[in-house]
Amino acid sequence: MHSAVQRANTVATIAAILLATICAAASFLDAFNSPSLQAHVQVVKINRFRRQLDGNDEVKMTLKMSMDLTSLFTWNTKQVFVFLAAEYETDTNSLNQVSLWDHIVQEKERASFQVKVPTKYPLIDQGTNLRGKKVGLVLHWHIMPISGRMIQGKMPLSNFSLPDSYTTRS
Amino acid sequence: MAGRSEFSASARGKDRNCSTQSYLCRGDSHVFPSSPVLKARINEMDWQGQKHAEMLMQIFLVFSAVAAFGAGYLMRDFRLMMLIYAGGVVLTALVTVPNWPYFNRHPLKWLDPSEAEKHPKPQVSNITSSSSSKKKASKNK
């Protein structure tokens, strides 16, 4: 405190510590946010169900989705990454999770929407187990805050069954 | 404290009655302007001023942090919190860091040179037998 430079150093240090404190407080308050979101997904049609040249099953389908993610957003939210995973069980793997579609929502105003889209990524199996398989669709989300730790969540949605035999593109 | 030529200026006989460290008494006041901004860069703070400045700094910074967090929480806007806090920090730095004359209201009174000559610094003695007693005597001064 004897010279202006020392005082400037003290101001900068205390300001940095208090900045960390208010960011930690903002992140801490996020834990009290209990989200209640709604989502609905429906498989419109299976576009292609075939066996690839390297031996794995591949499915491409069209999905109709509607979801309301506004309750996930707080004042400390930077963006929400949401993806739809197909989950099923095979003989070799007790749980397979394959991401079919994902989306980044950056504003609370754009968090409620309905889309009818083909899947971004095909459902490719490790093997040839998909014929007649019962597949569950689960919506996962990652909330990325401005300050703090990432928050994950998921919600199981409807199930559907794949056809018993391969189809060609219709 | 940074050394200044107070003794030499006063000893030159220009302001023998003045015993403060302020530039007004150094005999070269014609060089320095009277604006408070430039005064702040030249003068330093005194002890009371330093304590006052440190207290103001802590209060301002904590208040800025609390006000920023409250405003951001109520208005649900993280960016607003950051802006208010940055403004508070800049305001604190402007008030606390420069040597404003307000912090120099109780300046130190340095000893007049004529007074200092009456109490000279003790000399190191060459006699080994009485060196310890002489050092004890000088410490009592």
Side-chain angles (χ1 to χ4, degrees):
Chain A
M1 307 298 289
H2 297 280
S3 72
V5 177
Q6 278 179 298
R7 278 191 299 277
N9 186 18
T10 309
V11 169
T13 305
I14 299 181
I17 292 173
L18 286 176
L19 177 68
T21 307
I22 59 177
C23 285
S27 163
F28 173 72
L29 287 182
D30 260 359
F32 298 106
N33 180 38
S34 51
S36 59
L37 71 155
Q38 295 142 20
H40 180 71
V41 70
Q42 177 192 341
V43 176
V44 174
K45 75 172 182 179
I46 308 280
N47 294 345
R48 175 189 267 202
F49 182 19
R50 67 175 186 144
R51 181 173 169 164
Q52 285 179 335
L53 293 173
D54 57 0
N56 294 327
D57 283 350
E58 183 195 40
V59 182
K60 289 183 186 171
M61 59 190 99
T62 303
L63 299 164
K64 183 176 169 192
M65 289 174 285
S66 68
M67 58 187 77
D68 181 11
L69 304 168
T70 50
S71 66
L72 295 176
F73 279 80
T74 66
W75 65 301
N76 187 28
T77 302
K78 184 175 182 297
Q79 63 190 21
V80 171
F81 175 71
V82 59
F83 66 96
L84 186 72
E87 296 188 357
Y88 59 95
E89 188 182 322
T90 58
D91 294 333
T92 50
N93 305 328
S94 60
L95 177 65
N96 300 276
Q97 285 173 313
V98 182
S99 172
L100 300 176
W101 170 89
D102 53 39
H103 186 57
I104 296 177
V105 184
Q106 286 176 330
E107 290 146 359
K108 189 174 179 174
E109 293 78 23
R110 313 254 284 264
S112 173
F113 53 88
Q114 300 149 21
V115 285
K116 181 180 168 191
V117 282
T119 52
K120 260 189 187 182
Y121 318 106
L123 171 58
I124 299 178
D125 187 30
Q126 291 176 336
T128 61
N129 305 306
L130 288 185
R131 278 165 292 178
K133 183 65 71 178
K134 184 160 178 281
V135 174
L137 292 169
V138 181
L139 188 71
H140 296 252
W141 58 86
H142 293 183
I143 305 171
M144 295 165 196
I146 301 177
S147 80
R149 199 163 178 255
M150 194 166 76
I151 302 167
Q152 297 184 19
K154 63 180 181 184
M155 185 167 102
L157 299 175
S158 52
N159 302 332
F160 72 101
S161 291
L162 287 166
D164 290 327
S165 59
Y166 297 124
T167 65
T168 53
R169 204 187 315 187
S170 54
Chain B
M1 294 291 190
R4 302 234 193 263
S5 57
E6 300 99 346
F7 294 150
S8 57
S10 298
R12 280 200 289 269
K14 302 214 174 194
D15 292 285
R16 209 171 272 254
N17 292 329
C18 193
S19 60
T20 70
Q21 64 168 342
S22 164
Y23 75 94
L24 294 166
C25 299
R26 279 210 311 256
D28 44 2
S29 58
H30 58 279
V31 177
F32 297 99
S34 57
S35 103
V37 173
L38 292 173
K39 258 197 224 173
R41 284 178 44 215
I42 290 154
N43 276 333
E44 291 175 351
M45 291 189 187
D46 56 66
W47 300 111
Q48 299 249 30
Q50 285 180 8
K51 187 174 163 195
H52 197 57
E54 181 176 7
M55 182 188 72
L56 276 182
M57 176 199 305
Q58 289 171 352
I59 291 178
F60 269 49
L61 281 176
V62 171
F63 183 71
S64 294
V66 170
F69 185 78
Y73 183 72
L74 290 174
M75 303 299 289
R76 314 220 131 239
D77 189 359
F78 199 91
R79 194 169 158 264
L80 179 72
M81 173 170 95
M82 285 291 121
L83 286 176
I84 292 181
Y85 184 64
V89 169
V90 168
L91 179 70
T92 306
L94 282 176
V95 167
T96 313
V97 170
N99 299 313
W100 297 116
Y102 167 74
F103 292 118
N104 204 12
R105 286 177 299 175
H106 306 275
L108 296 171
K109 292 213 172 358
W110 293 99
L111 207 55
D112 200 51
S114 57
E115 190 69 24
E117 280 158 13
K118 289 181 198 165
H119 304 278
K121 268 189 177 175
Q123 305 294 322
V124 177
S125 169
N126 289 330
I127 304 168
T128 54
S129 59
S130 59
S131 62
S132 57
S133 59
K134 265 221 173 157
K135 276 181 190 163
K136 275 186 191 161
S138 66
K139 273 196 177 132
N140 286 335
K141 272 200 189 280

